[in-house]
Structure formats: structure tokens, C-alpha cells
Amino acid sequence: FSLNLAADCNAVLKALQPIFQEQGMTETVHNWEDHGYLVTYIKKNGSFANLRIHPHGLVLVDLQSYNDHMKGREEVDQLLNKVEERMKELFHGNIKRVKRLPAILRGGVIDRYWPTADGRLVEYDIDEVVYDEDSPFQNIKILHSKQFGNILILSGDVNLAESDLAYTQAIMGSGKEDYTGKEVLILGGGDGGILYEIVKLKPKMVTMVASNIDQMVIDGCKKHMRKTCGDVLDNLKGECYQVLIEDCIPVLKRYAKEGRMFDYVINDLTAVPISTSPEEDSTWEFLRLILDLSMKVLKQDGKYFTQGNCINLTDALTLYEEQLSRLYCPVEFSKETVCVPSYMELWVFYTIWKKQTDI
């Protein structure tokens, strides 16, 4: 409760006491002269409530209980309704705002809470654990959301949901590119979404180096993310594609030495570490290494696509763009912002190409 006036802490306490006492709750009062009251109410079944009264006009009520049935939830709602009614009687229109937040379910069988990239907590409508395994490299979860379909989560990081075609389209150039007859290199992309969409566009050959994704991810996705990957992960080789389960750095170095060139390089690597070599002294050095190696295998008129990050992480995006000025060859770039449904935030994507020099 946010009030339009200072709160008489003692009056608020006396007004709300009967509501908790009716529940058979034991009261403990902590009083600070200039900082209001903290009152705890404890029930025999282990439920408890905290009542925090700030003299400047803020009253907070937190209720925690163990209820796994509808009747218990109704009892909580009834108690909070009584608190709200009593506060309105006490302050006669001097309440600026009443805000009731949904209950947070702790220790549930299904974990519905996942952070966004910029540190906000999102509660997803997850109703089923579809897949949950630990590989030698990471924890792999596929959870079902009523809105977004199955969601791939790697070591606590939301990667992609079946709803997220917008992500795949953005990292492929948002429908502006002609992949017909082209040579394409995908770094990462173990959910199979990019590979599935590009194969539809009749490329000459797509090579996917799934170095950050282990075989267990591919196994999980080909079974439970088929709306995203179709049938392209059923076999590691197809008519116009191949999937390599290797570290992308040695592969890129090998391709550069062989003079192999690509029309498109799509970097869909995650933040999960994919190598322990000394070349990775810092995250930014690693990113720049990937960029440098990618530019070496990119044709002069080719394009490099990658995800950036959440639009709110301006410092991280600025740091990334600074790396682009430190590559072995001059490059130019553009970026676009796309709403990725399951991320519940706007996401930045980059297109990078070699700067054309005058002859």
C-alpha cells in the first residue's frame, strides 16, 4: 500500500492485528522509533506473514505458506482481501496505490522462473518438464510452455522456443538474402532451427559446426523440438548439409589454411565456454578471435550474421561493436532489433561485411 500521507504505524498495527489473530497466528513486534514497525505472524502449520509499516507511508504485507491445493490458495486470498478492505477503511481514500503481486512458487516440481538477459525475473507458463539431462558440458532442459511451445534451456539460459521463428529469421538476414546455390557456415545452432530454415532455400552446401552443442542437445532437440528443426537433425549429413560435432576454432583455422570460403557465416554460438585454449584469456578476446577467423573464410562480398544481446545491455553492445574495429581487416556493420517471443525482451542482431576498398 502506497499512501498519500504519513502512516501512523501504531494505528495501522492495531487495525490489522485482529485479522491475523483470527487465523490463530502468534505475533512478534519489532519497533524502530524512526523506521516504523516490522511485525511477524506465525501459524502452527508453518505459514507466516510479515507486516512492514514505514512511517513515510508505505505498508507491505508478505505472506508465505505451504499450500498445494485450491482451498489453501483461497484462504490466502481471503486473508489478503480482508487486509485490503481494512486498510481502505482506515485511510478513507488516502491510498495512492494498492499493488498485489502473484504468489511465487518455491521448490516446485517444475521451475517456472527464468531471468532475462538484463536481470529481470520472468515467470513462464511452464506446465511440463519434457527433457532434463546433464551432459559432460552442461545441463540441458526442454520445458513446455502453453504460449511458446517447447523451450530449450542450456545451463539456466533460455536459448530458443518453438515460437521463436523471429530469432531464426533475424540471424539469417530477415528474409533479405538469397541463399540459392550458396555456401553457408553455421557456428553453433545445435537446436537445428537455422539449418532447417536454410535448407528450404536450396543452398549449395551448409556446414554446421555445432561445437558449443553436444550430442545430447542434438538428441533432445531432434525428438522434442521438431517444430523448430524438422528432420534435419535425424542425420548429420543430408543432400546439401553436414553437421560437425567439433570445436569451431580448429575447424575455422583449417578452413582458412585450405582457402575454403563461404558466402555466409552465421554465428549462433552461446555464452557457454566451448574451448579451454589459451586463446580465450578473456571473453572479448575470444569473440574477436571468432570474428577474425570468420572473416578469413568469408568471401569478399559475403555476409556474417550473429546475435548481439538484449537491447537494454547497451554497454555490452558497445563493447561488441568496439571489437569490430579491431579485426585484421576493416569491416562495416548494421544492426536491427527484433522481438523474440519467449525472451520477452527486444534482441539485437548484427550483419557484418568486409569493407570494400578502392583499387
Side-chain angles (χ1 to χ4, degrees), residues 178-189:
D178 181 7
Y179 285 91
T180 307
K182 300 296 175 61
E183 291 272 2
V184 184
L185 176 64
I186 303 172
L187 306 177

Side-chain angles (χ1 to χ4, degrees), residues 24-76:
M25 304 179 91
T26 302
E27 179 187 80
T28 304
V29 180
H30 303 272
N31 179 11
W32 301 278
E33 290 184 7
D34 299 324
H35 301 288
Y37 288 7
L38 169 64
V39 189
T40 60
Y41 293 94
I42 302 174
K43 204 170 183 177
K44 289 182 179 180
N45 66 0
S47 299
F48 65 91
N50 291 323
L51 171 63
R52 184 71 171 94
I53 309 167
H54 295 271
H56 68 272
L58 181 65
V59 179
L60 306 174
V61 180
D62 294 307
L63 182 61
Q64 190 171 125
S65 63
Y66 178 77
N67 289 310
D68 58 354
H69 52 83
M70 190 58 66
K71 183 179 178 182
R73 295 175 190 175
E74 290 174 356
E75 290 174 355
V76 169

Side-chain angles (χ1 to χ4, degrees), residues 14 146 248:
K14 291 193 175 197
K146 297 175 185 176
C248 70

Side-chain angles (χ1 to χ4, degrees), residues 293-319:
L293 291 171
S294 296
M295 291 302 115
K296 288 179 180 178
V297 301
L298 185 68
K299 292 181 180 179
Q300 189 61 34
D301 60 350
K303 290 183 180 178
Y304 174 97
F305 296 118
T306 190
Q307 61 166 318
N309 216 314
C310 164
I311 195 172
N312 286 344
L313 296 180
T314 53
D315 290 344
L317 295 172
T318 299
L319 282 171

